[in-house]
Amino acid sequence: PPPSFFNDTATTEIYTLSLHDALPILGKILLRIAPPVMLAQLIQSLYNIVDSFFVGKYSDDALTALTVVYPLQLIIVALAVGTGVGVNTYMARKYAQEREKEANGTAGAGLILALVSWAIFAAVSALIMRPYVMTSAKSPQAIEDAVTYGNIVCIGSLGAFLEGIWSKVHQSRGNMRLPMIAQVAGALTNIVFDPLMIFGIGPFPEMGVAGAAYATVLGQVVSAVIVGIKGFRRPPAVHDFPHYANRIYFYGYSSIIMQALYTVYIVGLNVILAKFSDSAVTVLGLYYKMQGFFFIPLIGLETCIVPVLSFNYTRKEYRRCRDTMNASFAVSAVFMVIGIVCFCFFPQLLISIFSSNAEVHEIGNVAFRIIGTSFIPAVFSLMIPVFFQAIGAGKTSTLLVLIRQIFCLVPIFRLFSFIGLNYTWLSFPISESIAGGVGIVLYVRTLKKWKAEKDNAALLQAEKE
């Protein structure tokens, strides 16, 4: 049977309703399946924020260390969640075709891919950790803290890889609550153990930045165990594995590339900012941690609309795909306005949560105000690539991400760095606007193509009759 959230009266009625009547119902469906994911993303953002909060209280060098290692943690997300998205999308398609055995085979293949990805990533990160850290940090203590933190969270990331697959197994059938519970439990574990391990409270010795790393790994393991109990599926037969792996990466590679490019451009920006000061690098890291908190609606809706779009695209219900995107744009825009208000009008308040360093406050006050203006165009530059990914147009999705993160942001950032540090932040709203504009053009073109296809099909049917 198809995912449970398609099997209700309200959803079935959409087939016979007009656009005006269907949109509110689609909005209700998204609002029913999205909140658990959004809450999970909220907790996940708190995960990073709490780490930075306690580490910032421990030392400024340790806070810089977390910023430097952050791109490597994004690679974990790229591999784990990107592969999971491929599993999610292909499983949703198999459910739509009523092929549950193949859906389970997809989940089993995803488990093997997660284990292999973790083993390769752990080995490579251990080899490159120190030289990588030295490209983005200058203080000797910050370098040592970053190497310590990075080695622990990268080598110990097995829980993150497994949770990335098993959560998507549940989400492919519309079960958003169990992954939410798992992420909440993992985040709470991290929040509780962070201060205990960092400062040496109770039976724990004072471990500093290493304590923050161990707390993170522990939280990831807890999340993986919760979703793994019912998310585990047996791997498929050896001769079937290549087929499943091919399909998983066909639907997931654009997500992996999107996240990986996210890492590449942050590393590039860190290298540029390191020429100004470690404080500039810290400001960029704080922005991305806070940005994740305000981008919760986009991240949550991205997760939810992938199976919805994939399911309906497979059935050629193009109107429902369009209406799902319209509802997603509207919900995301509302929350982005909140982000603009916070970043543009209360930057000092946000920064003071993590650091009392005067230089960090001075740089961040300018940076946060400028970057905050990029939130509205980000609705389109972030959501539209997911749309193309969900309908199997991975090349278009990847192109939009390349335009946003590589072709625009890094070169513009580099160019403005020759004028001065304060000007570099202008690259964010400029890049989001360009990528969003291109995305809208391609999205509208796709809608017109669908309309023409439907019109031709109706004409052929009329001629037959």
Side-chain angles (χ1 to χ4, degrees), residues 229-264:
I229 294 174
K230 293 186 177 180
F232 174 82
R233 299 289 189 277
R234 291 181 180 275
V238 175
H239 63 274
D240 291 330
F241 179 78
H243 165 73
Y244 286 113
N246 177 274
R247 292 293 87 192
I248 288 171
Y249 284 126
F250 175 79
Y251 292 111
Y253 83 91
S254 61
S255 179
I256 294 175
I257 292 176
M258 280 192 291
Q259 291 287 346
L261 290 177
Y262 190 42
T263 301
V264 169

PDB file of all heavy atoms in Angstrom, residues 229-264:
ATOM      1  N   ILE A 229      15.562  -0.103  15.609  1.00  0.00           N
ATOM      2  CA  ILE A 229      14.793  -1.237  16.116  1.00  0.00           C
ATOM      3  C   ILE A 229      13.731  -1.679  15.112  1.00  0.00           C
ATOM      4  O   ILE A 229      13.564  -2.869  14.839  1.00  0.00           O
ATOM      5  CB  ILE A 229      14.144  -0.878  17.474  1.00  0.00           C
ATOM      6  CG1 ILE A 229      15.238  -0.667  18.540  1.00  0.00           C
ATOM      7  CG2 ILE A 229      13.175  -1.970  17.907  1.00  0.00           C
ATOM      8  CD1 ILE A 229      14.709  -0.177  19.870  1.00  0.00           C
ATOM      9  N   LYS A 230      13.008  -0.715  14.527  1.00  0.00           N
ATOM     10  CA  LYS A 230      11.985  -1.059  13.544  1.00  0.00           C
ATOM     11  C   LYS A 230      12.382  -0.668  12.110  1.00  0.00           C
ATOM     12  O   LYS A 230      11.676  -1.022  11.165  1.00  0.00           O
ATOM     13  CB  LYS A 230      10.656  -0.385  13.903  1.00  0.00           C
ATOM     14  CG  LYS A 230      10.022  -0.923  15.183  1.00  0.00           C
ATOM     15  CD  LYS A 230       8.642  -0.316  15.398  1.00  0.00           C
ATOM     16  CE  LYS A 230       7.963  -0.914  16.634  1.00  0.00           C
ATOM     17  NZ  LYS A 230       6.612  -0.346  16.860  1.00  0.00           N
ATOM     18  N   GLY A 231      13.488   0.048  11.986  1.00  0.00           N
ATOM     19  CA  GLY A 231      13.905   0.475  10.648  1.00  0.00           C
ATOM     20  C   GLY A 231      14.834  -0.503   9.956  1.00  0.00           C
ATOM     21  O   GLY A 231      15.053  -0.410   8.746  1.00  0.00           O
ATOM     22  N   PHE A 232      15.372  -1.464  10.696  1.00  0.00           N
ATOM     23  CA  PHE A 232      16.306  -2.424  10.101  1.00  0.00           C
ATOM     24  C   PHE A 232      15.603  -3.318   9.086  1.00  0.00           C
ATOM     25  O   PHE A 232      14.507  -3.814   9.323  1.00  0.00           O
ATOM     26  CB  PHE A 232      16.929  -3.299  11.200  1.00  0.00           C
ATOM     27  CG  PHE A 232      17.797  -4.404  10.666  1.00  0.00           C
ATOM     28  CD1 PHE A 232      19.105  -4.159  10.292  1.00  0.00           C
ATOM     29  CD2 PHE A 232      17.291  -5.686  10.516  1.00  0.00           C
ATOM     30  CE1 PHE A 232      19.898  -5.175   9.785  1.00  0.00           C
ATOM     31  CE2 PHE A 232      18.074  -6.715  10.015  1.00  0.00           C
ATOM     32  CZ  PHE A 232      19.386  -6.454   9.646  1.00  0.00           C
ATOM     33  N   ARG A 233      16.240  -3.492   7.944  1.00  0.00           N
ATOM     34  CA  ARG A 233      15.769  -4.433   6.927  1.00  0.00           C
ATOM     35  C   ARG A 233      16.958  -5.278   6.467  1.00  0.00           C
ATOM     36  O   ARG A 233      18.084  -4.789   6.392  1.00  0.00           O
ATOM     37  CB  ARG A 233      15.189  -3.696   5.704  1.00  0.00           C
ATOM     38  CG  ARG A 233      13.999  -2.820   5.998  1.00  0.00           C
ATOM     39  CD  ARG A 233      12.739  -3.618   6.330  1.00  0.00           C
ATOM     40  NE  ARG A 233      11.558  -2.770   6.408  1.00  0.00           N
ATOM     41  CZ  ARG A 233      11.199  -2.067   7.473  1.00  0.00           C
ATOM     42  NH1 ARG A 233      11.958  -2.100   8.573  1.00  0.00           N
ATOM     43  NH2 ARG A 233      10.106  -1.332   7.464  1.00  0.00           N
ATOM     44  N   ARG A 234      16.698  -6.525   6.151  1.00  0.00           N
ATOM     45  CA  ARG A 234      17.771  -7.398   5.697  1.00  0.00           C
ATOM     46  C   ARG A 234      18.329  -6.905   4.356  1.00  0.00           C
ATOM     47  O   ARG A 234      17.562  -6.493   3.484  1.00  0.00           O
ATOM     48  CB  ARG A 234      17.261  -8.822   5.527  1.00  0.00           C
ATOM     49  CG  ARG A 234      16.901  -9.523   6.839  1.00  0.00           C
ATOM     50  CD  ARG A 234      16.427 -10.934   6.563  1.00  0.00           C
ATOM     51  NE  ARG A 234      16.069 -11.617   7.795  1.00  0.00           N
ATOM     52  CZ  ARG A 234      16.936 -12.250   8.580  1.00  0.00           C
ATOM     53  NH1 ARG A 234      18.216 -12.287   8.236  1.00  0.00           N
ATOM     54  NH2 ARG A 234      16.534 -12.842   9.690  1.00  0.00           N
ATOM     55  N   PRO A 235      19.645  -6.962   4.188  1.00  0.00           N
ATOM     56  CA  PRO A 235      20.218  -6.590   2.887  1.00  0.00           C
ATOM     57  C   PRO A 235      19.708  -7.505   1.784  1.00  0.00           C
ATOM     58  O   PRO A 235      19.406  -8.676   2.035  1.00  0.00           O
ATOM     59  CB  PRO A 235      21.729  -6.781   3.108  1.00  0.00           C
ATOM     60  CG  PRO A 235      21.916  -6.665   4.591  1.00  0.00           C
ATOM     61  CD  PRO A 235      20.669  -7.268   5.191  1.00  0.00           C
ATOM     62  N   PRO A 236      19.592  -7.017   0.579  1.00  0.00           N
ATOM     63  CA  PRO A 236      19.111  -7.860  -0.528  1.00  0.00           C
ATOM     64  C   PRO A 236      20.173  -8.872  -0.941  1.00  0.00           C
ATOM     65  O   PRO A 236      21.318  -8.814  -0.471  1.00  0.00           O
ATOM     66  CB  PRO A 236      18.855  -6.839  -1.643  1.00  0.00           C
ATOM     67  CG  PRO A 236      19.839  -5.749  -1.350  1.00  0.00           C
ATOM     68  CD  PRO A 236      19.900  -5.658   0.148  1.00  0.00           C
ATOM     69  N   ALA A 237      19.815  -9.780  -1.803  1.00  0.00           N
ATOM     70  CA  ALA A 237      20.774 -10.756  -2.327  1.00  0.00           C
ATOM     71  C   ALA A 237      21.924 -10.029  -3.016  1.00  0.00           C
ATOM     72  O   ALA A 237      21.750  -8.930  -3.570  1.00  0.00           O
ATOM     73  CB  ALA A 237      20.073 -11.703  -3.305  1.00  0.00           C
ATOM     74  N   VAL A 238      23.106 -10.661  -3.001  1.00  0.00           N
ATOM     75  CA  VAL A 238      24.304 -10.015  -3.543  1.00  0.00           C
ATOM     76  C   VAL A 238      24.109  -9.590  -4.993  1.00  0.00           C
ATOM     77  O   VAL A 238      24.518  -8.491  -5.398  1.00  0.00           O
ATOM     78  CB  VAL A 238      25.525 -10.960  -3.416  1.00  0.00           C
ATOM     79  CG1 VAL A 238      26.744 -10.340  -4.088  1.00  0.00           C
ATOM     80  CG2 VAL A 238      25.820 -11.266  -1.954  1.00  0.00           C
ATOM     81  N   HIS A 239      23.481 -10.434  -5.794  1.00  0.00           N
ATOM     82  CA  HIS A 239      23.320 -10.103  -7.211  1.00  0.00           C
ATOM     83  C   HIS A 239      22.321  -8.974  -7.443  1.00  0.00           C
ATOM     84  O   HIS A 239      22.304  -8.366  -8.512  1.00  0.00           O
ATOM     85  CB  HIS A 239      22.901 -11.346  -8.011  1.00  0.00           C
ATOM     86  CG  HIS A 239      21.567 -11.903  -7.607  1.00  0.00           C
ATOM     87  ND1 HIS A 239      21.416 -12.812  -6.569  1.00  0.00           N
ATOM     88  CD2 HIS A 239      20.308 -11.678  -8.084  1.00  0.00           C
ATOM     89  CE1 HIS A 239      20.142 -13.132  -6.442  1.00  0.00           C
ATOM     90  NE2 HIS A 239      19.440 -12.453  -7.335  1.00  0.00           N
ATOM     91  N   ASP A 240      21.471  -8.687  -6.443  1.00  0.00           N
ATOM     92  CA  ASP A 240      20.517  -7.580  -6.569  1.00  0.00           C
ATOM     93  C   ASP A 240      21.066  -6.263  -6.027  1.00  0.00           C
ATOM     94  O   ASP A 240      20.507  -5.190  -6.327  1.00  0.00           O
ATOM     95  CB  ASP A 240      19.220  -7.906  -5.816  1.00  0.00           C
ATOM     96  CG  ASP A 240      18.425  -9.021  -6.467  1.00  0.00           C
ATOM     97  OD1 ASP A 240      18.508  -9.149  -7.706  1.00  0.00           O
ATOM     98  OD2 ASP A 240      17.732  -9.761  -5.745  1.00  0.00           O
ATOM     99  N   PHE A 241      22.124  -6.342  -5.235  1.00  0.00           N
ATOM    100  CA  PHE A 241      22.629  -5.146  -4.562  1.00  0.00           C
ATOM    101  C   PHE A 241      23.026  -4.027  -5.541  1.00  0.00           C
ATOM    102  O   PHE A 241      22.686  -2.860  -5.306  1.00  0.00           O
ATOM    103  CB  PHE A 241      23.811  -5.500  -3.660  1.00  0.00           C
ATOM    104  CG  PHE A 241      24.402  -4.326  -2.945  1.00  0.00           C
ATOM    105  CD1 PHE A 241      23.790  -3.795  -1.819  1.00  0.00           C
ATOM    106  CD2 PHE A 241      25.552  -3.713  -3.419  1.00  0.00           C
ATOM    107  CE1 PHE A 241      24.317  -2.695  -1.168  1.00  0.00           C
ATOM    108  CE2 PHE A 241      26.092  -2.612  -2.775  1.00  0.00           C
ATOM    109  CZ  PHE A 241      25.479  -2.106  -1.653  1.00  0.00           C
ATOM    110  N   PRO A 242      23.774  -4.333  -6.627  1.00  0.00           N
ATOM    111  CA  PRO A 242      24.153  -3.241  -7.547  1.00  0.00           C
ATOM    112  C   PRO A 242      22.955  -2.460  -8.077  1.00  0.00           C
ATOM    113  O   PRO A 242      23.019  -1.235  -8.237  1.00  0.00           O
ATOM    114  CB  PRO A 242      24.887  -3.976  -8.671  1.00  0.00           C
ATOM    115  CG  PRO A 242      25.427  -5.206  -8.026  1.00  0.00           C
ATOM    116  CD  PRO A 242      24.367  -5.615  -7.039  1.00  0.00           C
ATOM    117  N   HIS A 243      21.862  -3.170  -8.353  1.00  0.00           N
ATOM    118  CA  HIS A 243      20.662  -2.482  -8.860  1.00  0.00           C
ATOM    119  C   HIS A 243      20.135  -1.492  -7.826  1.00  0.00           C
ATOM    120  O   HIS A 243      19.847  -0.333  -8.151  1.00  0.00           O
ATOM    121  CB  HIS A 243      19.570  -3.499  -9.197  1.00  0.00           C
ATOM    122  CG  HIS A 243      18.213  -2.886  -9.374  1.00  0.00           C
ATOM    123  ND1 HIS A 243      17.861  -2.129 -10.483  1.00  0.00           N
ATOM    124  CD2 HIS A 243      17.114  -2.877  -8.548  1.00  0.00           C
ATOM    125  CE1 HIS A 243      16.620  -1.702 -10.346  1.00  0.00           C
ATOM    126  NE2 HIS A 243      16.137  -2.142  -9.192  1.00  0.00           N
ATOM    127  N   TYR A 244      20.006  -1.943  -6.576  1.00  0.00           N
ATOM    128  CA  TYR A 244      19.491  -1.065  -5.534  1.00  0.00           C
ATOM    129  C   TYR A 244      20.430   0.110  -5.276  1.00  0.00           C
ATOM    130  O   TYR A 244      19.985   1.249  -5.105  1.00  0.00           O
ATOM    131  CB  TYR A 244      19.261  -1.853  -4.237  1.00  0.00           C
ATOM    132  CG  TYR A 244      18.053  -2.755  -4.273  1.00  0.00           C
ATOM    133  CD1 TYR A 244      18.193  -4.144  -4.235  1.00  0.00           C
ATOM    134  CD2 TYR A 244      16.777  -2.230  -4.353  1.00  0.00           C
ATOM    135  CE1 TYR A 244      17.081  -4.979  -4.262  1.00  0.00           C
ATOM    136  CE2 TYR A 244      15.656  -3.056  -4.388  1.00  0.00           C
ATOM    137  CZ  TYR A 244      15.821  -4.431  -4.343  1.00  0.00           C
ATOM    138  OH  TYR A 244      14.712  -5.239  -4.379  1.00  0.00           O
ATOM    139  N   ALA A 245      21.730  -0.170  -5.239  1.00  0.00           N
ATOM    140  CA  ALA A 245      22.702   0.903  -4.997  1.00  0.00           C
ATOM    141  C   ALA A 245      22.625   1.951  -6.100  1.00  0.00           C
ATOM    142  O   ALA A 245      22.683   3.157  -5.845  1.00  0.00           O
ATOM    143  CB  ALA A 245      24.116   0.321  -4.909  1.00  0.00           C
ATOM    144  N   ASN A 246      22.473   1.479  -7.340  1.00  0.00           N
ATOM    145  CA  ASN A 246      22.361   2.398  -8.476  1.00  0.00           C
ATOM    146  C   ASN A 246      21.141   3.289  -8.348  1.00  0.00           C
ATOM    147  O   ASN A 246      21.214   4.514  -8.561  1.00  0.00           O
ATOM    148  CB  ASN A 246      22.291   1.593  -9.774  1.00  0.00           C
ATOM    149  CG  ASN A 246      22.107   2.486 -11.001  1.00  0.00           C
ATOM    150  OD1 ASN A 246      20.990   2.833 -11.365  1.00  0.00           O
ATOM    151  ND2 ASN A 246      23.209   2.846 -11.615  1.00  0.00           N
ATOM    152  N   ARG A 247      19.998   2.717  -7.977  1.00  0.00           N
ATOM    153  CA  ARG A 247      18.768   3.489  -7.836  1.00  0.00           C
ATOM    154  C   ARG A 247      18.858   4.463  -6.657  1.00  0.00           C
ATOM    155  O   ARG A 247      18.383   5.599  -6.731  1.00  0.00           O
ATOM    156  CB  ARG A 247      17.574   2.550  -7.635  1.00  0.00           C
ATOM    157  CG  ARG A 247      17.208   1.706  -8.846  1.00  0.00           C
ATOM    158  CD  ARG A 247      16.670   2.563  -9.982  1.00  0.00           C
ATOM    159  NE  ARG A 247      17.722   3.087 -10.847  1.00  0.00           N
ATOM    160  CZ  ARG A 247      17.541   4.026 -11.762  1.00  0.00           C
ATOM    161  NH1 ARG A 247      16.359   4.574 -11.924  1.00  0.00           N
ATOM    162  NH2 ARG A 247      18.533   4.437 -12.501  1.00  0.00           N
ATOM    163  N   ILE A 248      19.450   4.012  -5.564  1.00  0.00           N
ATOM    164  CA  ILE A 248      19.570   4.874  -4.381  1.00  0.00           C
ATOM    165  C   ILE A 248      20.402   6.103  -4.703  1.00  0.00           C
ATOM    166  O   ILE A 248      20.011   7.237  -4.390  1.00  0.00           O
ATOM    167  CB  ILE A 248      20.195   4.091  -3.210  1.00  0.00           C
ATOM    168  CG1 ILE A 248      19.193   3.073  -2.664  1.00  0.00           C
ATOM    169  CG2 ILE A 248      20.638   5.043  -2.094  1.00  0.00           C
ATOM    170  CD1 ILE A 248      19.784   2.104  -1.665  1.00  0.00           C
ATOM    171  N   TYR A 249      21.521   5.901  -5.368  1.00  0.00           N
ATOM    172  CA  TYR A 249      22.377   7.038  -5.669  1.00  0.00           C
ATOM    173  C   TYR A 249      21.837   7.867  -6.836  1.00  0.00           C
ATOM    174  O   TYR A 249      22.130   9.058  -6.944  1.00  0.00           O
ATOM    175  CB  TYR A 249      23.813   6.579  -5.950  1.00  0.00           C
ATOM    176  CG  TYR A 249      24.549   6.206  -4.679  1.00  0.00           C
ATOM    177  CD1 TYR A 249      25.158   4.972  -4.537  1.00  0.00           C
ATOM    178  CD2 TYR A 249      24.616   7.097  -3.610  1.00  0.00           C
ATOM    179  CE1 TYR A 249      25.832   4.620  -3.374  1.00  0.00           C
ATOM    180  CE2 TYR A 249      25.286   6.763  -2.442  1.00  0.00           C
ATOM    181  CZ  TYR A 249      25.885   5.532  -2.332  1.00  0.00           C
ATOM    182  OH  TYR A 249      26.539   5.207  -1.162  1.00  0.00           O
ATOM    183  N   PHE A 250      21.033   7.240  -7.705  1.00  0.00           N
ATOM    184  CA  PHE A 250      20.403   8.007  -8.775  1.00  0.00           C
ATOM    185  C   PHE A 250      19.500   9.077  -8.186  1.00  0.00           C
ATOM    186  O   PHE A 250      19.482  10.228  -8.641  1.00  0.00           O
ATOM    187  CB  PHE A 250      19.597   7.085  -9.688  1.00  0.00           C
ATOM    188  CG  PHE A 250      18.818   7.823 -10.748  1.00  0.00           C
ATOM    189  CD1 PHE A 250      19.439   8.280 -11.890  1.00  0.00           C
ATOM    190  CD2 PHE A 250      17.457   8.066 -10.591  1.00  0.00           C
ATOM    191  CE1 PHE A 250      18.724   8.970 -12.867  1.00  0.00           C
ATOM    192  CE2 PHE A 250      16.732   8.750 -11.557  1.00  0.00           C
ATOM    193  CZ  PHE A 250      17.370   9.203 -12.703  1.00  0.00           C
ATOM    194  N   TYR A 251      18.739   8.713  -7.155  1.00  0.00           N
ATOM    195  CA  TYR A 251      17.825   9.658  -6.533  1.00  0.00           C
ATOM    196  C   TYR A 251      18.481  10.462  -5.411  1.00  0.00           C
ATOM    197  O   TYR A 251      17.963  11.499  -5.019  1.00  0.00           O
ATOM    198  CB  TYR A 251      16.595   8.928  -5.981  1.00  0.00           C
ATOM    199  CG  TYR A 251      15.711   8.366  -7.057  1.00  0.00           C
ATOM    200  CD1 TYR A 251      15.602   6.990  -7.250  1.00  0.00           C
ATOM    201  CD2 TYR A 251      14.996   9.200  -7.898  1.00  0.00           C
ATOM    202  CE1 TYR A 251      14.792   6.470  -8.246  1.00  0.00           C
ATOM    203  CE2 TYR A 251      14.192   8.692  -8.903  1.00  0.00           C
ATOM    204  CZ  TYR A 251      14.094   7.317  -9.070  1.00  0.00           C
ATOM    205  OH  TYR A 251      13.297   6.814 -10.066  1.00  0.00           O
ATOM    206  N   GLY A 252      19.594   9.982  -4.895  1.00  0.00           N
ATOM    207  CA  GLY A 252      20.204  10.662  -3.753  1.00  0.00           C
ATOM    208  C   GLY A 252      21.464  11.433  -4.052  1.00  0.00           C
ATOM    209  O   GLY A 252      21.900  12.227  -3.227  1.00  0.00           O
ATOM    210  N   TYR A 253      22.040  11.234  -5.260  1.00  0.00           N
ATOM    211  CA  TYR A 253      23.340  11.853  -5.502  1.00  0.00           C
ATOM    212  C   TYR A 253      23.279  13.375  -5.492  1.00  0.00           C
ATOM    213  O   TYR A 253      24.213  14.047  -5.039  1.00  0.00           O
ATOM    214  CB  TYR A 253      23.940  11.351  -6.820  1.00  0.00           C
ATOM    215  CG  TYR A 253      23.458  12.053  -8.062  1.00  0.00           C
ATOM    216  CD1 TYR A 253      24.134  13.166  -8.570  1.00  0.00           C
ATOM    217  CD2 TYR A 253      22.336  11.617  -8.757  1.00  0.00           C
ATOM    218  CE1 TYR A 253      23.710  13.810  -9.713  1.00  0.00           C
ATOM    219  CE2 TYR A 253      21.905  12.253  -9.896  1.00  0.00           C
ATOM    220  CZ  TYR A 253      22.587  13.349 -10.376  1.00  0.00           C
ATOM    221  OH  TYR A 253      22.149  13.994 -11.512  1.00  0.00           O
ATOM    222  N   SER A 254      22.168  13.930  -5.974  1.00  0.00           N
ATOM    223  CA  SER A 254      22.083  15.394  -5.985  1.00  0.00           C
ATOM    224  C   SER A 254      22.056  15.947  -4.564  1.00  0.00           C
ATOM    225  O   SER A 254      22.627  17.001  -4.283  1.00  0.00           O
ATOM    226  CB  SER A 254      20.848  15.863  -6.764  1.00  0.00           C
ATOM    227  OG  SER A 254      19.659  15.372  -6.175  1.00  0.00           O
ATOM    228  N   SER A 255      21.397  15.219  -3.650  1.00  0.00           N
ATOM    229  CA  SER A 255      21.380  15.648  -2.252  1.00  0.00           C
ATOM    230  C   SER A 255      22.776  15.553  -1.645  1.00  0.00           C
ATOM    231  O   SER A 255      23.206  16.436  -0.897  1.00  0.00           O
ATOM    232  CB  SER A 255      20.397  14.790  -1.444  1.00  0.00           C
ATOM    233  OG  SER A 255      20.383  15.180  -0.095  1.00  0.00           O
ATOM    234  N   ILE A 256      23.496  14.477  -1.979  1.00  0.00           N
ATOM    235  CA  ILE A 256      24.862  14.325  -1.487  1.00  0.00           C
ATOM    236  C   ILE A 256      25.733  15.459  -2.012  1.00  0.00           C
ATOM    237  O   ILE A 256      26.508  16.067  -1.265  1.00  0.00           O
ATOM    238  CB  ILE A 256      25.442  12.966  -1.922  1.00  0.00           C
ATOM    239  CG1 ILE A 256      24.675  11.823  -1.246  1.00  0.00           C
ATOM    240  CG2 ILE A 256      26.928  12.871  -1.585  1.00  0.00           C
ATOM    241  CD1 ILE A 256      25.093  10.447  -1.711  1.00  0.00           C
ATOM    242  N   ILE A 257      25.592  15.754  -3.284  1.00  0.00           N
ATOM    243  CA  ILE A 257      26.392  16.820  -3.882  1.00  0.00           C
ATOM    244  C   ILE A 257      26.032  18.168  -3.278  1.00  0.00           C
ATOM    245  O   ILE A 257      26.903  18.989  -2.989  1.00  0.00           O
ATOM    246  CB  ILE A 257      26.202  16.838  -5.412  1.00  0.00           C
ATOM    247  CG1 ILE A 257      26.820  15.587  -6.038  1.00  0.00           C
ATOM    248  CG2 ILE A 257      26.827  18.100  -6.016  1.00  0.00           C
ATOM    249  CD1 ILE A 257      26.591  15.464  -7.522  1.00  0.00           C
ATOM    250  N   MET A 258      24.729  18.395  -3.072  1.00  0.00           N
ATOM    251  CA  MET A 258      24.297  19.665  -2.470  1.00  0.00           C
ATOM    252  C   MET A 258      24.950  19.875  -1.118  1.00  0.00           C
ATOM    253  O   MET A 258      25.482  20.944  -0.816  1.00  0.00           O
ATOM    254  CB  MET A 258      22.769  19.693  -2.327  1.00  0.00           C
ATOM    255  CG  MET A 258      22.032  20.024  -3.599  1.00  0.00           C
ATOM    256  SD  MET A 258      20.278  20.398  -3.307  1.00  0.00           S
ATOM    257  CE  MET A 258      19.658  18.796  -2.841  1.00  0.00           C
ATOM    258  N   GLN A 259      24.913  18.834  -0.275  1.00  0.00           N
ATOM    259  CA  GLN A 259      25.500  18.939   1.058  1.00  0.00           C
ATOM    260  C   GLN A 259      27.020  19.021   0.986  1.00  0.00           C
ATOM    261  O   GLN A 259      27.648  19.768   1.745  1.00  0.00           O
ATOM    262  CB  GLN A 259      25.078  17.738   1.912  1.00  0.00           C
ATOM    263  CG  GLN A 259      23.618  17.726   2.292  1.00  0.00           C
ATOM    264  CD  GLN A 259      23.278  18.765   3.345  1.00  0.00           C
ATOM    265  OE1 GLN A 259      24.148  19.335   3.984  1.00  0.00           O
ATOM    266  NE2 GLN A 259      22.001  19.014   3.520  1.00  0.00           N
ATOM    267  N   ALA A 260      27.616  18.250   0.065  1.00  0.00           N
ATOM    268  CA  ALA A 260      29.075  18.266  -0.059  1.00  0.00           C
ATOM    269  C   ALA A 260      29.562  19.629  -0.534  1.00  0.00           C
ATOM    270  O   ALA A 260      30.586  20.145  -0.052  1.00  0.00           O
ATOM    271  CB  ALA A 260      29.529  17.170  -1.017  1.00  0.00           C
ATOM    272  N   LEU A 261      28.831  20.222  -1.463  1.00  0.00           N
ATOM    273  CA  LEU A 261      29.204  21.554  -1.937  1.00  0.00           C
ATOM    274  C   LEU A 261      29.046  22.582  -0.827  1.00  0.00           C
ATOM    275  O   LEU A 261      29.808  23.554  -0.751  1.00  0.00           O
ATOM    276  CB  LEU A 261      28.335  21.937  -3.144  1.00  0.00           C
ATOM    277  CG  LEU A 261      28.608  21.163  -4.429  1.00  0.00           C
ATOM    278  CD1 LEU A 261      27.636  21.595  -5.517  1.00  0.00           C
ATOM    279  CD2 LEU A 261      30.042  21.377  -4.890  1.00  0.00           C
ATOM    280  N   TYR A 262      28.054  22.367   0.015  1.00  0.00           N
ATOM    281  CA  TYR A 262      27.879  23.208   1.201  1.00  0.00           C
ATOM    282  C   TYR A 262      29.160  23.197   2.026  1.00  0.00           C
ATOM    283  O   TYR A 262      29.645  24.229   2.481  1.00  0.00           O
ATOM    284  CB  TYR A 262      26.697  22.641   1.992  1.00  0.00           C
ATOM    285  CG  TYR A 262      26.192  23.497   3.139  1.00  0.00           C
ATOM    286  CD1 TYR A 262      26.055  24.867   3.014  1.00  0.00           C
ATOM    287  CD2 TYR A 262      25.812  22.901   4.340  1.00  0.00           C
ATOM    288  CE1 TYR A 262      25.563  25.628   4.060  1.00  0.00           C
ATOM    289  CE2 TYR A 262      25.312  23.648   5.387  1.00  0.00           C
ATOM    290  CZ  TYR A 262      25.198  25.010   5.239  1.00  0.00           C
ATOM    291  OH  TYR A 262      24.710  25.765   6.283  1.00  0.00           O
ATOM    292  N   THR A 263      29.744  22.007   2.168  1.00  0.00           N
ATOM    293  CA  THR A 263      31.000  21.869   2.897  1.00  0.00           C
ATOM    294  C   THR A 263      32.130  22.580   2.174  1.00  0.00           C
ATOM    295  O   THR A 263      32.934  23.293   2.788  1.00  0.00           O
ATOM    296  CB  THR A 263      31.349  20.374   3.055  1.00  0.00           C
ATOM    297  OG1 THR A 263      30.296  19.722   3.754  1.00  0.00           O
ATOM    298  CG2 THR A 263      32.648  20.201   3.810  1.00  0.00           C
ATOM    299  N   VAL A 264      32.198  22.379   0.859  1.00  0.00           N
ATOM    300  CA  VAL A 264      33.283  22.959   0.068  1.00  0.00           C
ATOM    301  C   VAL A 264      33.282  24.476   0.180  1.00  0.00           C
ATOM    302  O   VAL A 264      34.326  25.099   0.399  1.00  0.00           O
ATOM    303  CB  VAL A 264      33.161  22.539  -1.410  1.00  0.00           C
ATOM    304  CG1 VAL A 264      34.129  23.351  -2.276  1.00  0.00           C
ATOM    305  CG2 VAL A 264      33.456  21.052  -1.557  1.00  0.00           C
TER     306      VAL A 264
END
